[in-house]
Amino acid sequence: MKIRYFAWVRERTGLAEEDVDLPAGVETASDLMRWLSGRGENYEMAFGEPDHIRIAFDQVHVTADARLGEVDEVAFFPPMTGG
Amino acid sequence: MKIRYFAWVRERTGLAEEDVDLPAGVETASDLMRWLSGRGENYEMAFGEPDHIRIAFDQVHVTADARLGEVDEVAFFPPMTGG
Amino acid sequence: MAVSPTIRVQEAPFDIRAESEKLTAGRTDIGGVVTFTGLCRDEAGTLAALELEHYPGMAEGEIARVAAAATERWPLLGLTVIHRYGRIAPGEPIVFVATASEHRRAAFEAADFLMDYLKTRAPFWKKEHAADGVEGGWVEAKAVDDAAAERWK
Amino acid sequence: MAVSPTIRVQEAPFDIRAESEKLTAGRTDIGGVVTFTGLCRDEAGTLAALELEHYPGMAEGEIARVAAAATERWPLLGLTVIHRYGRIAPGEPIVFVATASEHRRAAFEAADFLMDYLKTRAPFWKKEHAADGVEGGWVEAKAVDDAAAERWK
């Protein structure tokens, strides 16, 4: 599964994107953020306050309880500031 | 005093403007419309329903009870339809 | 009043781009510009043209009063109102309003307010000329426009 | 859905006049066009530029969803949304929305709605570059924008 990071989430993880194999038990976006947080200080900095993170599955907004299921691309980013 | 007529008020009176000397007792816009109505069939057609007429004194909107006082130019016209 | 409105009442068509650009040219403090352009519709092919009568002098004066009310109510950085008179063919612009402000809300509300007030207060009257050559009647004022203007009271 | 929205996400500046004219060219059924242009402000001289990051693909997709919601809600005859990304200097346009309809109310409301929704849903993020050469921080999302978007629910 591809994970993409934008804006300060990208800067904190130090990655624009990566491919990951999900371990058993990671079933929702929320689970994924918790699991990522444990992968190192950079991830902990990015995902320390998961309430401040917005999520998209296959380029559509979802909430943290959305189930990963057949998703190909997950993205994490801050609240949008365009317009 | 100059009186100006616009749109269908102009068409019904048959005049774009005229100068009149106000007779005694004509003190408000309402009085003036009543007096004009008595001046002929064309005026009666224009001012038969005074509630449908809008009024300006010296190029500023006023209501029918406004007093003529020192006014130089009175205008009568239908509700506006610009924009 | 920080802003000096641009107001024009004219028979000639106008260049919407030039008018919009004048509002922002050389400035870096404006965050949003809203424009409204009102166009002549052909009413499904039945209308040949509109003829707009106006009250010269009062038209400019009343638009200036409406514009002043907008600049007092919202923190505008720019304001333009252009209203045409005379014969106007379908597809041509009749009226143009542009508002500039630091944040978008003021620009949106002021443009909306200006149009509602121009409709009900600016001394212009539309007469329809039908496509079949018949001189049509005077357009009647709409209750929906009065109701729209009431929203701002 | 009678109208097919024009949607573009691009780095290059755009010509506001050309975009407005495309909406009405050759048509005689449109009564009103509302445009909104969002510009980069220099924050009283402290800002050198904004850097807009975006999520390619999702940006277009999300704008299309917001545009579709607008065309379902209001009887629009035309709709254009352009959003830039990359480095944008003070005074330059960032976003452009134009709506066309038979009557002005639909055009005003739809443009207002589109901006509120783009602000809170389109995947763009602004970073500030300060005039003193310092790379500034990411612009924080504003509660006022969330509240504005809530108005349409």
Side-chain angles (χ1 to χ4, degrees), chain C residues 39-72:
Chain C
L39 302 149
C40 177
R41 283 178 281 118
D42 71 355
E43 308 296 353
T46 63
L47 187 88
L50 285 175
E51 182 83 32
L52 267 94
E53 182 167 336
H54 79 301
Y55 186 168
M58 179 169 171
E60 291 84 349
E62 191 61 26
I63 294 174
R65 284 186 283 276
V66 171
T71 60
E72 275 161 35

Side-chain angles (χ1 to χ4, degrees), chain B residues 7-8 12 51-54 61 77-83, chain C residues 41 50 115-128 137-149, chain D residues 103-104:
Chain B
W8 56 250
R12 292 181 190 178
D51 288 356
H52 294 177
I53 306 278
R54 297 288 177 272
H61 291 296
F77 41 78
M80 283 66 74
T81 55
Chain C
R41 283 178 281 118
L50 285 175
M115 281 310 304
D116 285 346
Y117 268 57
L118 290 178
K119 281 259 174 192
T120 54
R121 298 193 62 88
F124 291 84
W125 301 273
K126 291 190 184 112
K127 185 172 214 171
E128 294 180 335
W138 293 95
V139 172
E140 287 214 37
K142 291 187 199 135
V144 65
D145 288 325
D146 291 329
Chain D
H103 300 289
R104 73 184 185 286

Side-chain angles (χ1 to χ4, degrees), chain C residues 88-145:
Chain C
I88 297 178
E92 287 185 12
I94 301 169
V95 61
F96 175 77
V97 163
T99 52
S101 59
E102 191 177 346
H103 300 288
R104 74 184 184 287
R105 175 81 9 239
F108 265 116
E109 288 185 0
D112 199 359
F113 164 89
L114 283 162
M115 281 310 304
D116 285 346
Y117 268 57
L118 290 178
K119 281 259 174 192
T120 54
R121 298 193 62 88
F124 291 84
W125 301 273
K126 291 190 184 112
K127 185 172 214 171
E128 294 180 335
H129 293 276
D132 59 11
V134 178
E135 182 180 287
W138 293 95
V139 172
E140 287 214 37
K142 291 187 199 135
V144 65
D145 288 325

Side-chain angles (χ1 to χ4, degrees), chain B residues 6-77:
Chain B
F6 292 95
W8 56 250
V9 182
R10 174 181 53 71
E11 288 182 343
R12 292 181 190 178
T13 59
L15 294 168
E17 60 178 75
E18 62 181 321
D19 286 299
V20 300
D21 291 315
L22 289 190
V26 172
E27 294 180 354
T28 66
S30 193
D31 293 343
L32 180 54
M33 287 194 279
R34 203 172 310 118
W35 176 70
L36 286 167
S37 298
R39 292 173 80 208
E41 209 176 316
N42 55 330
Y43 287 99
E44 207 185 320
M45 260 180 56
F47 292 100
E49 295 187 275
D51 288 356
H52 294 177
I53 306 278
R54 297 288 177 272
I55 309 144
F57 282 3
D58 292 331
Q59 310 197 350
V60 175
H61 291 296
V62 296
T63 50
D65 58 356
R67 302 189 70 80
L68 288 157
E70 305 288 292
V71 174
D72 294 316
E73 180 175 303
V74 174
F76 294 109
F77 41 78

Side-chain angles (χ1 to χ4, degrees), chain D residues 1 3 5 19 34 41 46 64 76 89 92 110 115 138-140:
Chain D
M1 197 166 88
V3 61
E19 299 301 337
V34 170
R41 280 177 284 118
T46 63
L76 299 182
E92 286 185 10
M115 281 310 303
W138 293 95
V139 172
E140 288 215 35

